[in-house]
Amino acid sequence: MMRMKKMIAANKACTCFVGSVMGAMLGVAMAKMMINHCCCAEKMKCKAKKALKNMEGML
């Protein structure tokens, strides 16, 4: 009886861990896709590059 409870607890922990990892990976993939396909992100990248060049020029 005790072995069965331990096995069920281990399976639940493994399932929860795998679910969390899959959710995190899906979230990262969705965020990356949104950033790559959003036109405003490209404008922000351009502005950030210009700001970095300006800062390098000042230093």
Side-chain angles (χ1 to χ4, degrees), residues 6-37:
K6 284 184 180 181
M7 187 176 73
I8 291 172
N11 285 342
K12 280 185 181 178
C14 183
T15 303
C16 289
F17 178 73
V18 169
S20 326
V21 169
M22 292 296 287
M25 288 174 58
L26 183 64
V28 168
M30 287 297 292
K32 196 170 194 176
M33 188 175 71
M34 291 283 288
I35 288 172
N36 288 338
H37 291 293

